[in-house]
Each structure stands twice: as structure tokens, then as C-alpha cells.
Amino acid sequence: MTDLAFTPATELVTLVRRRELSPEELMRHTLDRIRTLDPALNSVVALDTGRALAEAAAMSARIARGEDPGPLAGLPVLVKDGENAEGFPTTRGTRAFRNIPPATRDGIHVARLRAAGALVIGKTNMPPLGAGVHTANDAFGITRNPWNPEKSPGGSSGGAAAAVAAGLVALGTAGDGGGSTRIPAALCGVVGLKPSRGRIPSAAPCWPQHICLSGMARTVRDTALHLDVAAGHHPADPNSLPAPGLSYLESLDRPLPRLHVGVLRTLGVAEPRPEMLRALERTADVLQEQGHEVVDDDSALPGAEDFPAPFLLRQQVLAYHRLVGIFDEFTARRADFEPWFADVLDNGAAVTPADFARYSQHRARLDQWAAGLFERYDLLLLPTVPTTAWPAEGPDVMAAVRERTVPISFTSVFNDTGHPAISVPAGLGPDGLPCAVQLVAPHHREDLVLGSALTVEAAHGPVRPPAFASSS
């Protein structure tokens, strides 16, 4: 055990349970690393060191008494600032909520992690209410990519991805409404799973139910461990799925069946950079060498000729829901929000019943399109993003539209359809930044997407940002 910073969560909890590593030792290492290294990243926006050390000591006492410490025994975890964690403010990445009182209770997701033995130590940065593919706000500033501080870790779970990639923690919470877990995972060289719609319950489900809670981890096994703890129905979320009836972590030890894999390079809406296509080709070769049948497919998204207009319609509908949720406060305190985000919410007020109908029709077309793909294939292989990381201040949106490199080109559709999708590191580009691929499985088949991701991970190997590679 020479490198606690990059030891997987599965190994850390095993060491703690065997009393070969004390929760206090792990916690002191974690807090020291955050204190020393996070100023260069700005990924952590709230931290309670006193409580963290006290909870680590309490966990040690439980273990000494012979109690079961749980599957996440003593593991330090950072929570995305969009989720409630008791004792920490939920500022949702905006200056408008900068002075909000601390939450008095955990959200369902966070409560399940705590019940499993995780020690929640703080919160990670995000763009205002998750509305961005880079992580910056007027409350806490810009979060930077550990591979290159001039680059973004993506968004909206950019703080979580940066913290995990830099070895500050082995596990963070995230969320994905258009790629907000998979995009940061891809840009930071970690693993990001968007589970099936409803797999992880939320106490505040939002129509059109495309937002999924998730985890951020460095390995596929750690991702499966998180899902084992987080998945399962909760009565506060009537749309949440029943318990899956299996351990995702244990399922990784079973061989995959021979799969029919469809490779989609553009979806008719994007022109990925050459390094991303090379990563895709290498991954296709890996799957073929493992005995799977790999087939090229040129299927285009419905509405591809108008992209990204259908996505922007959904964002407008979502903005309306955000506006409804904070309408009274927003109208009285519009100036408290970041100006660009206040404009987004203003636009939401313009949504009409016809807009809702058009969006619902588009969703139906996407569902039919995806159903047709999964009649032909067991698994889909795509890029996660068209490019490596963009500037920390955010991508040039107009250039991205013109060059067909819109960041959500390959991710947003599977929020609409609800399929499980995972981003896995696939080497480095010529610029030294991580490349990634995305795997998508049929509805409710997280076991299949995780198992396939494990194969890809084993072939490509882990990547680690050089400036943060030391365990000191």
C-alpha cells in the first residue's frame, strides 16, 4: 500500500474492514491532500475537517467493537453541491444561494452512502443549477482540470471529476441531465456511469425525468460498488426502480456473453476529432479481439438536420421547470443570480404548451430510434465527447456548432431515452489530455454496460494526471 491517493475504493474499504488501515489514517491523508492540492483545482467548495476526523474516529470505534462498518467502511466521499448533505449548504453552484443555511437532512442518495459507512466530508463545485458543460460560477469561481489547469474538467459534475481524477477522494457523487457525469469523466480520465432512469431514487424527481443521480470514480469496480449501495426503490420517488436483485460488483466476475456491438461515430450530428476516433477504433478492436461481433452503423439521430435545436428545446423546457421551482425567489432576486443564468431562466418563462408538445413528440421519436438500435445490437459504442477538454472558461459555443463538436452531441440522447451509458478512459490524445469512449446498453442492463466497460478498462489501462500522481 504505497499510494493511498490512487488506491481504488474497493481496496480501501477492504483494508479498513480488515483493520489494516484505520479510518483516521485514511481521513488524515485525504484532508491533507485536499488542503495541499485542491487550491490549484478549486474542486471542493465546502469541507468540515473537524467533523470528518470525528466521524473517522467513531468508525474506528465501531470496527473495534466488532460492528459491521458497511460496504463503504470509512471511505471519505465528496458530494456534488446540487445534492443535500446534512450539515452543508446546498448552494447549487450559484451566488444566489451562497448564504443558504446548511441542509438539515441528507438526500436519499447521500443517506444511502452514509448508511453504507461512507464519511461525507464536503461538497464539490458545479455550474449554476447544473446548467453548463464547464464548471464555474460567481459563488466559488472556476474549477480546473487536473491534467491542465488551463482546461475545464467539464460540467456539470466537474468538481467531482476533478477531485476524483486528482486522487483527492476515490468516490464522489454526481448527476447527469445531458452528459453531466459522462462529459466530466471523459475530460478528466475517470469513469462516469449514467444509470437507467430511476435506478437511483431522488426525492425531487423533475419532469421530463432525464436527470439521473450517479457516482464519479476512477475504476469500473468502484462504480459498481457505488451502484450496489445507491440503487433501489424509495417511496419518496414513485418513478424509482425496484432493487436490481443482483450485485453489480459481483456481476463483474462473470464472463460476458458474445455481444453484437454497434459502432456509431457521428450520430449524424458531430465530427469527432481524429484522436477521439482513434480511441473509438482501438476500443472496437479490443471488443472484437474478445470475441464480440462489432459492426459499423451510420444511424443518425432524429432531427439531426436541425441539431442542436431539439436539445435546446429540451433545455428551454427544463429552464421552465427550474423557473417554476424558484419563481417567487427568482422574480424578487433576479440580480442575485449569475447574469447569463438569469437569462436562461427568463427564457424558460417563454415556454408554451406547444413547446411541451413538440418536445414530447421529439422524445417519442428518440425512443423509437433507440428501440430500433437495440433490436439489432446488444451494446452501442460511441465517443463520449467530440474533443478533449476545452478552456476552463468554457467552450466556444458558436465555433462548436459550426465545427460540429457540440459537447453533448453523444450524451444527451441517452438522457432522453433513459438507457444506461458509461464513459471509460481510452488513452491520451496528442495534447496529453484524456480521450474516452461511451458504451450504452439496453434499458436496466447496468450489469452489461459495466461488464463491457471493465473489458475496455483492462485493455486501455488507467490514466493519471502527472502533476497529481504522487501520493504525498
Side-chain angles (χ1 to χ4, degrees), residues 15-97:
L15 291 169
V16 169
R17 292 173 67 89
R18 291 176 178 171
R19 306 190 192 187
E20 296 174 21
L21 173 67
S22 74
E24 293 103 319
E25 180 183 0
L26 177 56
M27 185 61 72
R28 285 192 296 269
H29 176 275
T30 300
L31 295 174
D32 287 347
R33 193 166 172 87
I34 292 172
R35 176 179 51 80
T36 303
L37 299 179
D38 193 56
L41 299 176
N42 190 37
S43 68
V44 181
V45 298
L47 190 69
D48 190 334
T49 57
R51 176 177 174 178
L53 291 168
E55 291 187 353
M59 177 61 70
S60 288
R62 286 182 56 193
I63 294 171
R65 291 194 299 267
E67 298 179 18
D68 183 354
L72 299 181
L75 187 71
V77 169
L78 289 165
V79 172
K80 182 178 176 179
D81 200 23
E83 289 191 79
N84 284 343
E86 185 270 324
F88 295 96
T90 308
T91 57
R92 297 178 177 84
T94 173
R95 68 186 187 187
F97 300 139

Side-chain angles (χ1 to χ4, degrees), residues 109-294:
H109 184 199
V110 176
R112 287 183 172 178
L113 300 184
R114 280 202 213 263
L119 305 180
V120 175
I121 63 173
K123 305 295 284 291
T124 55
N125 205 16
M126 61 182 289
L129 272 74
V133 293
H134 70 291
T135 296
N137 55 57
D138 292 347
F140 304 111
I142 296 173
T143 297
R144 300 183 180 275
N145 192 314
W147 288 87
N148 181 341
E150 298 304 313
K151 299 294 185 178
S152 175
S156 63
S157 307
V164 169
L168 306 187
V169 291
L171 180 65
T173 76
D176 196 311
S180 286
T181 298
R182 289 160 290 158
I183 291 172
L187 269 53
C188 292
V190 297
V191 178
L193 168 69
K194 182 201 76 67
S196 298
R197 185 184 299 139
R199 180 62 72 199
I200 299 175
S202 171
C206 173
W207 190 89
Q209 295 176 24
H210 64 287
I211 298 174
C212 298
L213 296 176
S214 61
M216 193 75 73
R218 286 188 298 272
T219 73
V220 173
R221 287 190 179 277
D222 286 357
T223 303
L225 172 65
H226 164 264
L227 193 59
D228 276 348
V229 169
H233 178 75
H234 192 284
D237 181 356
N239 298 302
S240 57
L241 296 173
L246 79 164
S247 164
Y248 293 111
L249 184 57
E250 292 176 2
S251 74
L252 294 177
D253 295 325
R254 295 192 287 270
L256 287 170
R258 186 173 186 268
L259 301 174
H260 194 49
V261 182
V263 182
L264 298 94
R265 290 174 173 78
T266 72
L267 294 184
V269 301
E271 295 181 13
R273 295 286 190 251
E275 60 268 29
M276 311 310 269
L277 290 175
R278 285 193 292 270
L280 194 72
E281 296 298 338
R282 290 194 301 268
T283 304
D285 290 344
V286 165
L287 293 173
Q288 197 159 31
E289 289 165 3
Q290 293 290 321
H292 304 296
E293 184 180 3
V294 179

Side-chain angles (χ1 to χ4, degrees), residues 295-364:
V295 179
D296 290 337
D297 192 299
D298 60 0
S299 296
L301 289 175
E305 64 279 3
D306 297 324
F307 189 84
F311 171 79
L312 296 176
L313 174 61
R314 189 189 75 188
Q315 292 305 95
Q316 188 180 24
V317 170
L318 180 60
Y320 173 80
H321 279 269
R322 288 184 173 126
L323 185 62
V324 167
I326 58 173
F327 185 78
D328 291 339
E329 188 169 20
F330 173 70
T331 54
R333 297 175 49 202
R334 186 188 188 282
D336 292 345
F337 289 86
E338 288 76 0
W340 69 268
F341 185 65
D343 290 342
V344 169
L345 294 178
D346 280 338
N347 291 338
V351 171
T352 67
D355 291 325
F356 278 87
R358 283 193 298 122
Y359 172 66
S360 295
Q361 291 167 358
H362 177 66
R363 277 281 286 266

